[in-house]
Structures are given as structure tokens and as C-alpha cells.
Amino acid sequence: MSTRKNGKSKKVKAGSNGSQSNGARRNAGYGAIDQKIEDLSKNTEESAGEFLTSDQGVRINDNQNSLKAGNRGPSLLEDFLLREKITHFDHERIPERVVHARGSGAHGYFQVYESMAQYTRAAFLQDPSMRTPVFVRFSTVAGSRGSTDLARDVRGFAVKFYTTEGNFDLVGNNMPVFFIQDAIKFPDLVHAVKPEPHHEMPQAASAHDTFWDFISLMPEAMHMIMWVMSDRAIPRSYRMMEGFGVHTFRFVNAAGKARFVKFHWKPLLGLHSVVWDEAQKISGKDPDFHRRDLWEAIENGDYPEWELGVQIVEERDEHKFDFDLLDPTKLIPEEIVPVQRIGKLTLNRNPDNFFAETEQVAFHIGNVVPGIDFTNDPLLQGRLFSYLDTQLTRLGGPNFHEIPINRPVAPVHNNQRDGFMRQTINKGQTSYDPNSLRGGCPFQAGMDMSGFTSYAERIDAQKIRERSPSFFDHFSQATLFFNSQSEAEQNHIIKALRFELGKLETPPIRERMLLLLAQVDKSLARRVAEGLGLKVPTKLDQPLNMSVPADADPRKLQPKKSKSTIETSPALSMANHLGDSVRTRKVACLIGDGFDDESFLEIKKALMTVGASAMTVAPHLGTVAGMSGEMVKADFSLLTGSSVLFDAVYVPDGAASVESLLREPEALNFVLEAYRHCKTIGATGDGVRLLNALGLVTQTDNRANGEADAEAGVVSSVAGDIDGFAAEFIAELRMHRHWQRESLATSTFERALPIAERDAKQLGV
Ligand code: HEM
């Protein structure tokens, strides 16, 4: 390909396999972070200052009119420019991913803290000075490509490491377990959760009959169901969620010794979620909420970071747990095998082009490098087939590994040839092995030359369609998860189940689910049942466990529960991983003309020093006049900004400003909604009147002695010093959410309404 700059022709080596270019060859083997950037740059195009051309490089003189027989006549077939443009447009879409269609990606790098040579010979895990380029894609599972980011769903967390020994893809999720134990059930699971086939509803939602019908017959899903009904399924940001490899993998060191390994990603910003009511509203106000959040954080230089964690288990300890390491519906509690943090992932560059990079990236769990190997987890084994297979259709043929985002930085030499869209121009007479005509090249690499060698696991077994009895306990870890949650988290799970099961149209499905929930925890089942106006059934006529063969022993048809060795696992509760960082948190400042711009600026400065930001929301866009005459830009109007898009709200002093806000139902709703979603709320001076009108504070709560008053995350200061208020407000912001309000909420709202009406009357509105 050649591009033209300033009329001059410039040769660019594009379309060939980048790993074979001179630049890549020079760098091969050294893991420089810019190696992938250099590789991608061979295919980038920048049209600033350039002439418009056809796909053949012919400059175009008229891109406004097609070629016609007379200016009112028919278009002519001869118009090669029209035909080329429309033909390309007609074929712009490719199939979306069959699952995980909705996603967002970013570039970055990974760096190990210290050599892991003791455990693995993977080159990217040896040298702390080496930065391995990565591309990461986050996703939801069930929705279509254009669906909302805030669906209740598992999030994909897929990382492609461009290592010097080839690509390693860690294709994980933000939950450490999965719904099913065997890959043969995956199409059933996905058919059940996707929109129902007769009317294609609902989009990106599990709250419908077919999903719960399937789940109610698959007790093995109960552990995962606890996670999906928890707040983990509605993250505040991709940057604030964990990631997990889910399956047990193997690390193999240079001596050939293998150990089991589970992979974890631990976000440095802590674990945070939104509440369900908020999630649903965000889906309307900004369906791209997570995509925007990731993009903006990277653009602003707030690079998202995660530590890579590993749980390592000696092969001799394989059977020492009360669950099977090969069962993907089980996790290894961190209290039993601690997570060692071995390196850091940093995302520091947004893609240049969504389609070329985020849409065309093709992850595959089978992309491993020497030192990392598989286990016999039957879900993992099925996945090993699925990814390569699905990408043949999605990306249109067998050469998708040559697409810039997918091609490795390690050199590629083999005898694979031809196929649709082949980019590489393989030279030479031979494309087979063994050969003598080319001296046997390309030749095999021994282990000492980084050759991949499958771990020689000993297998002596019958060929059989059966699950191991060690896979039969479907409830202990579901109970462990539920018991490990804080009170607020448990309440959210119960509400989520009431919502999801409440949407069902077929009553027996609810009954079956209640029976399954009762196996997890009786009070959980009872409280969900209360919300559904039902009683927990004690037994059902039909068998529950349908994942057994037609002629199975009837005893296997009933769910089974054994006892977990630990009662609770604090590591499972998000409440124990909040951290106190408020970096990148967004505070909405409600202002109208006449607001106290000086104290607003002080609060803004104080927030910036802790890495948070203050954004103004006003009755109108444009500028807003401060008390001191300063004109401040409104970042949002009450129509374009909504409290669900922020982490906290602040109402500054200023009688005129507050009066104008009191006249705006949207302003009152803004604060009330933030309160309901348990966010930090602050007000100073006259701003406290607004909180007062809503019944969130009473005037007597506020000491006029210069100190700010904080109760359940509502910070107010009628006449206090602004520095003291700022410190108190930030301290409350560090708590993230104030869940105690969920039990106060009803009384507060009862109090709030008459007060709001009274205030409105006094104001004559
Ligand atoms: C047998 C079980 C599974 C099968 C057959 C399966 C299959 C698939 C398929 C066909 C895709 C679309 C890939 C593409 O078009 O590029 C996909 C995407 C994905 N899967 Fe799975 N999957 C399974 C289980 C899992 C599990 C257990 C996890 C998590 C550990 C997972 C994580 C992902 C992720 C993160 C993506 C999105 C990758 C991306 O961002 O492009 N899958 N899966």
C-alpha cells in the first residue's frame, strides 16, 4: 500500500504480516512496549492534509454527484466511483459476537513485579523491567452490540498479551465461577438468556421466562446465580471491577514441573457498583456509561490499573479441597489459598478506531505461551474449540490472525497458506513439512528455544459421558457467597431476585427457583418469596437436576449439598474491597445565578487534590453568574445531567441560586435520587435549605459553630468554614455509598414530601 503526503508518494509496508517486517524483526524478542504500537502503525491512515481518493488511489474530483445522463437523467452504470463507494458501504457490517457482543477496549501494558521462574517459564513473567503490550476488551454477555452497558450481567474481561513468545489471551469474566460445568450446555445457556426467539424480547436482560426456566432446572448454576444477582453484575465502572480466569490452568516451569493456577485481576481503585434503580436509569440517560467512563479516564490520563493475582496449588494437593478444581462452578476461597499479586496491568491508550481494534479483536482461550497450560475442566475444554471456530464466521475466514490488532509481535512462520483476505506474501517453493528443498525450514523449536510443549498429564480412563461425583455439590459455595456478603449486599441480592423472578409469566418457574434458593439459604428463599407473594415450597413433583442422562439413577435427580470447610469468606464481599480512593469520582455541583462561586471554587480545588472532579449542573447551559460576579460555565443543564451519572452532589451557598433550584422539580429530584442511591450529599450556607426542603436535614441538625455536620453521608454547614466542610465532604465521599440510608429511606421520603410541598407553597410555586 502507498499513501500520499503533500502529493508525494510514501511507501508503507502494510497488509503484510507485521511480525515479518524489518522493524518487528529488529525488536523481536525484547518485549518493548512500543513494539505493538509500531506494528499497528503500519496500518494506520490519517487523512488530514490529503486528497480524497478512490480505493485504488485515484484522486476524486466530485464526491457530491453521481454520473448521470443529463442533470435530471438516470445514473450510469459506468460510475465506478459511485459503485465502489456504495458496494463498500453495503458490506460494512460483520456479524456481532454470538455472546459478549457489546464491549469496549483499550491498549496498555503488563509488567511483572518479580520473576515467576519458580512457577512458569512464560517469558513475559520473568523480567520486571519488561513491559508486555496488551489489548483489553470489557463486555456484557447477553445484549446485542448496541445494547446498554448497565444491564444486569456478567462482564467479560479479556486480555491479549502480545508476548515475545506469541500471544497469550486471558479470556476471563468479572465473576470467578460460571453457570455450567460442561461446555455441551453453553448453547442452551445462551439460547435461554438471549431475547426469546418468538418475539426477540427482552434485550440485554435475564429477567424473563426462558432464562429462569433453564436455571431452575440446572442447580449447578446456583453459585453463579448468587454472583449475577449481586452488585457485581452492575459495576460502577470497568475500572472498578475484578477479573478472573475462572478455570484452573497450569503453570509449568523450565524444569517441566506443573502447578495449578487460578488467575485474578484486582483493580487498584477498589470494587464498586451502582444500585439497580440507578442502573436502569443510567441505561436511559447514558447507555454508553461504561464505555464513556473508560474512554474519558484514559483520555484524562487517569490510567486504569489492576494487579494480576495468582492462586497456586501444588499438583499433590489436587484432591485436598471439598470441591473439584476442575469444576468451573467453584472458586478456591482466598482464605484457603491466598492470592499472590505478581504484576500490574495499566491501560494507557484508547483505540484509534473502534471497528479495526475493539470489534475485530479475536480472543481465544487456546492462545497460550510456553509455561501456561490447560486442565481438564470440561468447560475450558469446550471453549478451546469454540473461539477459533466462531471467529471463522465472524471475521470471514482463517486469516483473522493477520488483522493488525490480532497479529502477534512474535515472528510468524509456518506452512499455513491462502484463504480469504490473505495478507502475508509467503515467499519460496515449499509450504509443507518435512521438506528438503528449504533445508527443513521453518523448523521445530526445542523447549530450550521456547518451543511450546504440552504438559504430559497422565490419563488412564474410560471414554464416558459422565460427570465426576466431585462435581455434584451445587449449593455449598452459593451459601458461602451469600453468607459472606454484608447486610446491604444481601438485601440487594434479595431485591434482584424479587425483580427477576417477579418478571416471569410462568408461575411454576418461580416455585422451582424458590426451592433451589432454599437449598442455598432458607431466609433468602423466604424473603424472596415474600416479595413474590408466595410461600417457599417444600417439595416439587418434578426432578430438578436435568443435567443427567435420560436413564440416570433417580437419586442424582435431586440437588445435593455438602458442607463447605469455611463458613464465610470475607474476600467475597465487595464491602471489604472498597479502598478509600476517590480518584476519578465525579461530584455534581448544583448551581443557579447568584451561587457562591468562591466556596464552589474552594471545594472544586479540594476535590481535585484528591483526584476527584467537580462539575456544574445548572437550570440552563451557557454561563452562570456567581455572587462575586464571576461567570462560570455550566457543564450540564438539569436536562442533560442527572444524578445517576455522578457519584455525589454538592449544593453551594447563595440565596438566589438556591431559590431558583427550589423552583426546579428536576433539581429536587436530582438530590433526592442521589440520596436514595446512598450517595454523599453536601450543602453549605443557603444550599442547606434545599436539603432541608427535602427533609434530608433539619435546620436544627446544623451547628452554626463553624463545623460541618455529617449524618449518613449528608454533610451540611450553615455557617461553617469551607475548608472544614470540604474535609468532611471528602471523608464521606471516601465511604462511596451510605447503605444505612436504605433502611431510613422510607421515613425520609415520607418526611420530605410535605416539607417540599410547604416550601413550594411559601415560594409561590
Ligand atoms: C463452553 C463455554 C463457553 C463457550 C462455548 C464460549 C464461547 C464464546 C464465544 C463464541 C464468544 C464470541 C467470541 C468472538 O466472536 O470473538 C465468546 C466470547 C467471550 N467469552 Fe466465552 N464461551 C464460554 C464460556 C466462557 C467463560 C466461562 C468465560 C469466562 C471465563 C467466557 C468469556 C468470554 C469473553 C470475555 C468473551 C468476549 C471476548 C471479547 O471481548 O471479544 N466465556 N465466548
Side-chain angles (χ1 to χ4, degrees), residues 251-272:
F251 263 165
V252 187
N253 67 16
K257 182 172 168 52
R259 293 175 178 87
F260 295 110
V261 60
K262 291 260 192 195
F263 293 107
H264 297 244
W265 290 112
K266 303 281 190 186
L268 294 193
L269 287 178
L271 294 185
H272 304 282

PDB file of all heavy atoms in Angstrom, residues 251-272:
ATOM      1  N   PHE A 251       0.529 -23.661  35.492  1.00  0.00           N
ATOM      2  CA  PHE A 251       1.827 -23.035  35.283  1.00  0.00           C
ATOM      3  C   PHE A 251       2.828 -24.175  35.144  1.00  0.00           C
ATOM      4  O   PHE A 251       2.777 -25.137  35.922  1.00  0.00           O
ATOM      5  CB  PHE A 251       2.220 -22.215  36.519  1.00  0.00           C
ATOM      6  CG  PHE A 251       1.911 -20.742  36.450  1.00  0.00           C
ATOM      7  CD1 PHE A 251       1.932 -19.961  37.614  1.00  0.00           C
ATOM      8  CD2 PHE A 251       1.623 -20.102  35.240  1.00  0.00           C
ATOM      9  CE1 PHE A 251       1.662 -18.600  37.582  1.00  0.00           C
ATOM     10  CE2 PHE A 251       1.358 -18.740  35.198  1.00  0.00           C
ATOM     11  CZ  PHE A 251       1.378 -17.998  36.365  1.00  0.00           C
ATOM     12  N   VAL A 252       3.746 -24.069  34.192  1.00  0.00           N
ATOM     13  CA  VAL A 252       4.781 -25.095  34.045  1.00  0.00           C
ATOM     14  C   VAL A 252       6.127 -24.374  33.985  1.00  0.00           C
ATOM     15  O   VAL A 252       6.309 -23.447  33.186  1.00  0.00           O
ATOM     16  CB  VAL A 252       4.583 -25.916  32.743  1.00  0.00           C
ATOM     17  CG1 VAL A 252       5.567 -27.082  32.701  1.00  0.00           C
ATOM     18  CG2 VAL A 252       3.148 -26.423  32.625  1.00  0.00           C
ATOM     19  N   ASN A 253       7.064 -24.799  34.842  1.00  0.00           N
ATOM     20  CA  ASN A 253       8.363 -24.103  34.861  1.00  0.00           C
ATOM     21  C   ASN A 253       9.357 -24.761  33.904  1.00  0.00           C
ATOM     22  O   ASN A 253       9.047 -25.760  33.242  1.00  0.00           O
ATOM     23  CB  ASN A 253       8.899 -23.962  36.297  1.00  0.00           C
ATOM     24  CG  ASN A 253       9.275 -25.295  36.911  1.00  0.00           C
ATOM     25  OD1 ASN A 253       9.426 -26.304  36.202  1.00  0.00           O
ATOM     26  ND2 ASN A 253       9.439 -25.306  38.222  1.00  0.00           N
ATOM     27  N   ALA A 254      10.561 -24.206  33.848  1.00  0.00           N
ATOM     28  CA  ALA A 254      11.550 -24.674  32.864  1.00  0.00           C
ATOM     29  C   ALA A 254      11.949 -26.121  33.104  1.00  0.00           C
ATOM     30  O   ALA A 254      12.349 -26.828  32.172  1.00  0.00           O
ATOM     31  CB  ALA A 254      12.781 -23.767  32.899  1.00  0.00           C
ATOM     32  N   ALA A 255      11.790 -26.575  34.357  1.00  0.00           N
ATOM     33  CA  ALA A 255      12.140 -27.967  34.650  1.00  0.00           C
ATOM     34  C   ALA A 255      10.983 -28.903  34.303  1.00  0.00           C
ATOM     35  O   ALA A 255      11.063 -30.116  34.528  1.00  0.00           O
ATOM     36  CB  ALA A 255      12.500 -28.096  36.127  1.00  0.00           C
ATOM     37  N   GLY A 256       9.881 -28.346  33.817  1.00  0.00           N
ATOM     38  CA  GLY A 256       8.737 -29.165  33.431  1.00  0.00           C
ATOM     39  C   GLY A 256       7.796 -29.445  34.599  1.00  0.00           C
ATOM     40  O   GLY A 256       6.822 -30.178  34.460  1.00  0.00           O
ATOM     41  N   LYS A 257       8.049 -28.836  35.756  1.00  0.00           N
ATOM     42  CA  LYS A 257       7.160 -29.070  36.904  1.00  0.00           C
ATOM     43  C   LYS A 257       5.906 -28.202  36.776  1.00  0.00           C
ATOM     44  O   LYS A 257       5.992 -27.001  36.516  1.00  0.00           O
ATOM     45  CB  LYS A 257       7.889 -28.732  38.212  1.00  0.00           C
ATOM     46  CG  LYS A 257       7.036 -29.002  39.444  1.00  0.00           C
ATOM     47  CD  LYS A 257       7.813 -28.855  40.726  1.00  0.00           C
ATOM     48  CE  LYS A 257       6.920 -28.846  41.960  1.00  0.00           C
ATOM     49  NZ  LYS A 257       5.976 -29.943  42.065  1.00  0.00           N
ATOM     50  N   ALA A 258       4.756 -28.835  36.959  1.00  0.00           N
ATOM     51  CA  ALA A 258       3.486 -28.118  36.795  1.00  0.00           C
ATOM     52  C   ALA A 258       2.820 -27.877  38.139  1.00  0.00           C
ATOM     53  O   ALA A 258       2.968 -28.670  39.077  1.00  0.00           O
ATOM     54  CB  ALA A 258       2.558 -28.920  35.897  1.00  0.00           C
ATOM     55  N   ARG A 259       2.099 -26.768  38.201  1.00  0.00           N
ATOM     56  CA  ARG A 259       1.255 -26.477  39.359  1.00  0.00           C
ATOM     57  C   ARG A 259      -0.059 -25.916  38.838  1.00  0.00           C
ATOM     58  O   ARG A 259      -0.097 -25.342  37.746  1.00  0.00           O
ATOM     59  CB  ARG A 259       1.908 -25.441  40.277  1.00  0.00           C
ATOM     60  CG  ARG A 259       3.166 -25.935  40.958  1.00  0.00           C
ATOM     61  CD  ARG A 259       3.803 -24.798  41.754  1.00  0.00           C
ATOM     62  NE  ARG A 259       4.980 -25.242  42.468  1.00  0.00           N
ATOM     63  CZ  ARG A 259       6.213 -25.261  41.953  1.00  0.00           C
ATOM     64  NH1 ARG A 259       6.413 -24.867  40.705  1.00  0.00           N
ATOM     65  NH2 ARG A 259       7.225 -25.648  42.685  1.00  0.00           N
ATOM     66  N   PHE A 260      -1.123 -26.075  39.610  1.00  0.00           N
ATOM     67  CA  PHE A 260      -2.403 -25.482  39.214  1.00  0.00           C
ATOM     68  C   PHE A 260      -2.370 -23.986  39.508  1.00  0.00           C
ATOM     69  O   PHE A 260      -1.750 -23.566  40.479  1.00  0.00           O
ATOM     70  CB  PHE A 260      -3.550 -26.127  39.972  1.00  0.00           C
ATOM     71  CG  PHE A 260      -3.727 -27.577  39.632  1.00  0.00           C
ATOM     72  CD1 PHE A 260      -3.420 -28.572  40.559  1.00  0.00           C
ATOM     73  CD2 PHE A 260      -4.192 -27.950  38.377  1.00  0.00           C
ATOM     74  CE1 PHE A 260      -3.578 -29.909  40.232  1.00  0.00           C
ATOM     75  CE2 PHE A 260      -4.350 -29.291  38.046  1.00  0.00           C
ATOM     76  CZ  PHE A 260      -4.034 -30.269  38.983  1.00  0.00           C
ATOM     77  N   VAL A 261      -3.074 -23.224  38.666  1.00  0.00           N
ATOM     78  CA  VAL A 261      -3.114 -21.780  38.911  1.00  0.00           C
ATOM     79  C   VAL A 261      -4.486 -21.220  38.542  1.00  0.00           C
ATOM     80  O   VAL A 261      -5.103 -21.635  37.564  1.00  0.00           O
ATOM     81  CB  VAL A 261      -1.980 -21.041  38.133  1.00  0.00           C
ATOM     82  CG1 VAL A 261      -2.084 -21.239  36.632  1.00  0.00           C
ATOM     83  CG2 VAL A 261      -1.961 -19.553  38.451  1.00  0.00           C
ATOM     84  N   LYS A 262      -4.966 -20.311  39.397  1.00  0.00           N
ATOM     85  CA  LYS A 262      -6.177 -19.526  39.099  1.00  0.00           C
ATOM     86  C   LYS A 262      -5.735 -18.077  38.955  1.00  0.00           C
ATOM     87  O   LYS A 262      -4.965 -17.586  39.786  1.00  0.00           O
ATOM     88  CB  LYS A 262      -7.161 -19.592  40.270  1.00  0.00           C
ATOM     89  CG  LYS A 262      -7.809 -20.941  40.488  1.00  0.00           C
ATOM     90  CD  LYS A 262      -9.197 -20.945  39.883  1.00  0.00           C
ATOM     91  CE  LYS A 262      -9.986 -22.170  40.330  1.00  0.00           C
ATOM     92  NZ  LYS A 262     -11.175 -22.363  39.483  1.00  0.00           N
ATOM     93  N   PHE A 263      -6.243 -17.396  37.921  1.00  0.00           N
ATOM     94  CA  PHE A 263      -5.842 -16.008  37.671  1.00  0.00           C
ATOM     95  C   PHE A 263      -6.898 -15.024  38.197  1.00  0.00           C
ATOM     96  O   PHE A 263      -8.105 -15.261  38.062  1.00  0.00           O
ATOM     97  CB  PHE A 263      -5.667 -15.765  36.169  1.00  0.00           C
ATOM     98  CG  PHE A 263      -4.503 -16.531  35.571  1.00  0.00           C
ATOM     99  CD1 PHE A 263      -4.727 -17.631  34.750  1.00  0.00           C
ATOM    100  CD2 PHE A 263      -3.202 -16.139  35.832  1.00  0.00           C
ATOM    101  CE1 PHE A 263      -3.655 -18.324  34.189  1.00  0.00           C
ATOM    102  CE2 PHE A 263      -2.127 -16.832  35.280  1.00  0.00           C
ATOM    103  CZ  PHE A 263      -2.351 -17.927  34.457  1.00  0.00           C
ATOM    104  N   HIS A 264      -6.426 -13.921  38.749  1.00  0.00           N
ATOM    105  CA  HIS A 264      -7.304 -12.849  39.263  1.00  0.00           C
ATOM    106  C   HIS A 264      -6.793 -11.497  38.768  1.00  0.00           C
ATOM    107  O   HIS A 264      -5.582 -11.308  38.656  1.00  0.00           O
ATOM    108  CB  HIS A 264      -7.240 -12.779  40.801  1.00  0.00           C
ATOM    109  CG  HIS A 264      -7.723 -13.998  41.515  1.00  0.00           C
ATOM    110  ND1 HIS A 264      -8.810 -13.988  42.338  1.00  0.00           N
ATOM    111  CD2 HIS A 264      -7.252 -15.265  41.532  1.00  0.00           C
ATOM    112  CE1 HIS A 264      -8.991 -15.199  42.849  1.00  0.00           C
ATOM    113  NE2 HIS A 264      -8.053 -16.002  42.372  1.00  0.00           N
ATOM    114  N   TRP A 265      -7.702 -10.572  38.540  1.00  0.00           N
ATOM    115  CA  TRP A 265      -7.325  -9.163  38.336  1.00  0.00           C
ATOM    116  C   TRP A 265      -7.910  -8.356  39.487  1.00  0.00           C
ATOM    117  O   TRP A 265      -9.117  -8.427  39.737  1.00  0.00           O
ATOM    118  CB  TRP A 265      -7.883  -8.624  37.017  1.00  0.00           C
ATOM    119  CG  TRP A 265      -7.249  -9.192  35.788  1.00  0.00           C
ATOM    120  CD1 TRP A 265      -7.844 -10.010  34.871  1.00  0.00           C
ATOM    121  CD2 TRP A 265      -5.907  -8.975  35.317  1.00  0.00           C
ATOM    122  NE1 TRP A 265      -6.960 -10.324  33.864  1.00  0.00           N
ATOM    123  CE2 TRP A 265      -5.757  -9.708  34.109  1.00  0.00           C
ATOM    124  CE3 TRP A 265      -4.813  -8.251  35.791  1.00  0.00           C
ATOM    125  CZ2 TRP A 265      -4.567  -9.724  33.381  1.00  0.00           C
ATOM    126  CZ3 TRP A 265      -3.637  -8.270  35.062  1.00  0.00           C
ATOM    127  CH2 TRP A 265      -3.516  -8.993  33.878  1.00  0.00           C
ATOM    128  N   LYS A 266      -7.074  -7.576  40.170  1.00  0.00           N
ATOM    129  CA  LYS A 266      -7.534  -6.788  41.330  1.00  0.00           C
ATOM    130  C   LYS A 266      -7.409  -5.301  40.990  1.00  0.00           C
ATOM    131  O   LYS A 266      -6.291  -4.794  40.827  1.00  0.00           O
ATOM    132  CB  LYS A 266      -6.664  -7.093  42.557  1.00  0.00           C
ATOM    133  CG  LYS A 266      -6.628  -8.568  42.946  1.00  0.00           C
ATOM    134  CD  LYS A 266      -7.880  -8.943  43.704  1.00  0.00           C
ATOM    135  CE  LYS A 266      -7.768 -10.331  44.302  1.00  0.00           C
ATOM    136  NZ  LYS A 266      -9.027 -10.751  44.926  1.00  0.00           N
ATOM    137  N   PRO A 267      -8.534  -4.592  40.899  1.00  0.00           N
ATOM    138  CA  PRO A 267      -8.463  -3.180  40.493  1.00  0.00           C
ATOM    139  C   PRO A 267      -7.907  -2.294  41.604  1.00  0.00           C
ATOM    140  O   PRO A 267      -8.309  -2.436  42.763  1.00  0.00           O
ATOM    141  CB  PRO A 267      -9.940  -2.834  40.223  1.00  0.00           C
ATOM    142  CG  PRO A 267     -10.711  -3.773  41.084  1.00  0.00           C
ATOM    143  CD  PRO A 267      -9.891  -5.031  41.206  1.00  0.00           C
ATOM    144  N   LEU A 268      -7.011  -1.377  41.252  1.00  0.00           N
ATOM    145  CA  LEU A 268      -6.419  -0.538  42.294  1.00  0.00           C
ATOM    146  C   LEU A 268      -7.392   0.528  42.798  1.00  0.00           C
ATOM    147  O   LEU A 268      -7.164   1.123  43.843  1.00  0.00           O
ATOM    148  CB  LEU A 268      -5.121   0.111  41.791  1.00  0.00           C
ATOM    149  CG  LEU A 268      -3.988  -0.873  41.507  1.00  0.00           C
ATOM    150  CD1 LEU A 268      -2.658  -0.154  41.332  1.00  0.00           C
ATOM    151  CD2 LEU A 268      -3.836  -1.933  42.592  1.00  0.00           C
ATOM    152  N   LEU A 269      -8.478   0.754  42.062  1.00  0.00           N
ATOM    153  CA  LEU A 269      -9.468   1.731  42.543  1.00  0.00           C
ATOM    154  C   LEU A 269     -10.494   1.101  43.471  1.00  0.00           C
ATOM    155  O   LEU A 269     -11.453   1.751  43.881  1.00  0.00           O
ATOM    156  CB  LEU A 269     -10.182   2.390  41.358  1.00  0.00           C
ATOM    157  CG  LEU A 269      -9.367   3.403  40.554  1.00  0.00           C
ATOM    158  CD1 LEU A 269     -10.182   3.934  39.379  1.00  0.00           C
ATOM    159  CD2 LEU A 269      -8.892   4.565  41.424  1.00  0.00           C
ATOM    160  N   GLY A 270     -10.333  -0.173  43.789  1.00  0.00           N
ATOM    161  CA  GLY A 270     -11.303  -0.846  44.655  1.00  0.00           C
ATOM    162  C   GLY A 270     -12.488  -1.354  43.853  1.00  0.00           C
ATOM    163  O   GLY A 270     -12.583  -1.152  42.635  1.00  0.00           O
ATOM    164  N   LEU A 271     -13.389  -2.026  44.557  1.00  0.00           N
ATOM    165  CA  LEU A 271     -14.566  -2.625  43.902  1.00  0.00           C
ATOM    166  C   LEU A 271     -15.804  -1.788  44.186  1.00  0.00           C
ATOM    167  O   LEU A 271     -16.132  -1.564  45.358  1.00  0.00           O
ATOM    168  CB  LEU A 271     -14.819  -4.024  44.472  1.00  0.00           C
ATOM    169  CG  LEU A 271     -13.775  -5.079  44.186  1.00  0.00           C
ATOM    170  CD1 LEU A 271     -14.238  -6.431  44.706  1.00  0.00           C
ATOM    171  CD2 LEU A 271     -13.567  -5.158  42.704  1.00  0.00           C
ATOM    172  N   HIS A 272     -16.475  -1.370  43.135  1.00  0.00           N
ATOM    173  CA  HIS A 272     -17.647  -0.508  43.341  1.00  0.00           C
ATOM    174  C   HIS A 272     -18.746  -0.827  42.339  1.00  0.00           C
ATOM    175  O   HIS A 272     -18.466  -1.214  41.203  1.00  0.00           O
ATOM    176  CB  HIS A 272     -17.250   0.960  43.205  1.00  0.00           C
ATOM    177  CG  HIS A 272     -16.156   1.339  44.139  1.00  0.00           C
ATOM    178  ND1 HIS A 272     -16.377   1.585  45.470  1.00  0.00           N
ATOM    179  CD2 HIS A 272     -14.819   1.457  43.948  1.00  0.00           C
ATOM    180  CE1 HIS A 272     -15.220   1.846  46.061  1.00  0.00           C
ATOM    181  NE2 HIS A 272     -14.265   1.773  45.159  1.00  0.00           N
TER     182      HIS A 272
END
